[in-house]
Amino acid sequence: EIEAKYTKKMQVLRDELDLRRKTEIHEVEERKNSHISELMTNHEKAFSDIKNYYNDITLKNLALISLLKEQIEDMKKTENQLEKEKADVLLQNKELKEPLQQAQEQVLELQKKLAHYDKDKEALVNTKARLKVTQKELKDLQWEHEVLEQRFSKVQAERDELYQKFTKAINEVQQKTGFKNLLLERKLKGLLSVLEKKEVELSEVFAASKLDPGALSLVSHKLEDVLNSKNTTIKDLQLQLARVCKAHNDMLQTFKAKLTAFGIPLDNLGFKPLVSPVPGQ
């Protein structure tokens, strides 16, 4: 029984160990297969990278070969062109032999003239001295020219500013003068209309009242006093209107004189200044 019991335990232990061995073998095989798969993937990637690398090198070499071929063709063309230029230069050299002889003759003549070098040198020194003086005068003139240009710019700016101020002033004065003249004329017309109405009403009152000569004389004197007062008011208003018109016309004459002094044509104003007629003229 003990032998059978331990034999059974031995069998169970063998089965467990066999199962564990198979499991471990299976795990080892799986790790081996995974490692093999990983190695194959890495090898394929490395092979693909090497393939792409050598493909790029091949393409670059082909492009370089094509570029070198083009450069060789360009160099051949350049060589042909240089050969043509060489032929042209040789031809020019043949043609320049005669001018060379003439130049050599001129050199001989210049060597003869070299004997007068001292005199020419002295003349050159004098010319340089005069040139320095002239350059100094030129600089002074340029400086004066710049100063005059700055003054001209300043005067031009002042002219433009005055032109704008005078234009604005003339517009304002025209508006004010025209408005004031209109008010004075309307006031004068109103007073004349009131005077006519009063005269008509007074005539009607005289006709209706049938006053005695003394009362009529008194009323006439009062009426004359009122009329004299109104006439005085009318004359004052006319005098004010004449003064305003004269001031307006004087201002226009001053403005025209300033424009003429600054060289601005009157046509540049863009409008024709209104000259107000002076009452009584």
Side-chain angles (χ1 to χ4, degrees), residues 54-197:
Y54 282 105
N55 285 334
D56 291 339
I57 290 176
T58 304
L59 291 174
K60 289 180 180 178
N61 288 334
L62 290 174
L64 181 60
I65 290 170
S66 177
L67 180 62
L68 289 173
K69 286 182 179 180
E70 291 178 357
Q71 290 180 355
I72 289 171
E73 291 179 357
D74 293 337
M75 290 177 69
K76 286 182 179 179
K77 292 180 181 178
T78 305
E79 184 179 1
N80 293 330
Q81 186 176 358
L82 290 174
E83 288 292 336
K84 291 180 180 179
E85 291 179 356
K86 179 182 176 182
D88 293 337
V89 169
L90 290 174
L91 182 61
Q92 289 178 2
N93 285 336
K94 291 181 180 179
E95 293 176 354
L96 290 174
K97 282 184 179 179
E98 184 177 353
L100 178 61
Q101 292 178 355
Q102 294 177 357
Q104 288 176 350
E105 293 176 357
Q106 289 178 359
V107 168
L108 293 174
E109 292 179 359
L110 290 173
Q111 287 177 350
K112 293 179 181 179
K113 291 180 180 180
L114 189 60
H116 304 285
Y117 173 75
D118 293 332
K119 293 181 180 180
D120 294 338
K121 186 176 180 180
E122 185 178 357
L124 179 62
V125 170
N126 295 330
T127 305
K128 285 182 177 180
R130 288 196 299 270
L131 179 61
K132 287 182 179 179
V133 175
T134 305
Q135 287 178 346
K136 186 178 182 302
E137 292 176 354
L138 178 61
K139 287 181 180 179
D140 295 337
L141 290 175
Q142 288 177 347
W143 181 78
E144 291 179 0
H145 178 68
E146 290 178 358
V147 172
L148 290 175
E149 280 186 346
Q150 292 177 359
R151 289 181 181 176
F152 175 76
S153 301
K154 185 177 180 182
V155 171
Q156 200 170 19
E158 292 176 356
R159 183 202 67 182
D160 295 337
E161 184 179 0
L162 286 174
Y163 176 77
Q164 293 176 358
K165 287 182 179 179
F166 276 119
T167 304
K168 184 177 179 181
I170 194 69
N171 289 330
E172 291 177 356
V173 171
Q174 279 187 343
Q175 292 177 359
K176 292 179 181 178
T177 305
F179 183 71
K180 193 169 183 180
N181 289 344
L182 182 62
L183 289 177
L184 290 173
E185 288 176 359
R186 287 184 179 180
K187 190 173 182 180
L188 184 59
K189 288 181 181 179
L191 290 174
L192 290 175
S193 177
V194 170
L195 180 61
E196 290 176 358
K197 288 181 181 179

